[in-house]
Amino acid sequence: MQIGNFITYLGVLAIVNFIALFPRRLVLRVADAVGSLIFVLDRAHRKVALTNIRIAFPEFPYERARAVAQKSFQNMCRVVVELIFTPKIIRQGKI
């Protein structure tokens, strides 16, 4: 393994372990906020999402398409959180 990849791995591992220290509900709320922020800042992917929604659901008004797109960005962040918490949930016997 290259040293740069190993350092990146250690950084990601540290972030994941830090996030796992907080209550899952709180982190999910933060994930929603981060998803909304990414939606606002990432113009290129926002445009792709809106285009895809308009193709799939041409009857949606722009406001609804925008809301669905923003929710999908939030959901992607929530999926990351759920992946981080999955080992903890399994250890607690909740799955």
Side-chain angles (χ1 to χ4, degrees):
M1 179 184 285
Q2 294 177 348
I3 190 71
N5 290 340
F6 184 68
I7 291 171
T8 301
Y9 167 77
L10 290 177
V12 170
L13 186 64
I15 291 168
V16 164
N17 285 324
F18 178 73
I19 290 171
L21 293 174
F22 295 94
R24 185 169 149 254
R25 287 184 183 186
L26 171 67
V27 179
L28 286 170
R29 281 191 234 125
V30 171
D32 285 341
V34 169
S36 292
L37 182 63
I38 293 170
F39 178 76
V40 169
L41 298 177
D42 189 352
R43 183 178 182 189
H45 288 106
R46 180 179 64 239
K47 185 177 177 181
V48 169
L50 288 170
T51 299
N52 289 340
I53 291 167
R54 299 294 291 200
I55 291 168
F57 305 101
E59 71 279 7
F60 280 12
Y62 176 77
E63 295 78 22
R64 184 166 181 197
R66 185 174 169 85
V68 169
Q70 182 174 358
K71 209 65 164 144
S72 74
F73 277 62
Q74 291 172 340
N75 189 58
M76 289 299 295
C77 291
R78 291 177 74 91
V79 167
V80 171
V81 169
E82 294 293 357
L83 286 171
I84 290 170
F85 279 90
T86 297
K88 189 176 191 178
I89 292 168
I90 291 171
R91 277 195 308 272
Q92 293 173 346
K94 294 182 179 179
I95 289 184

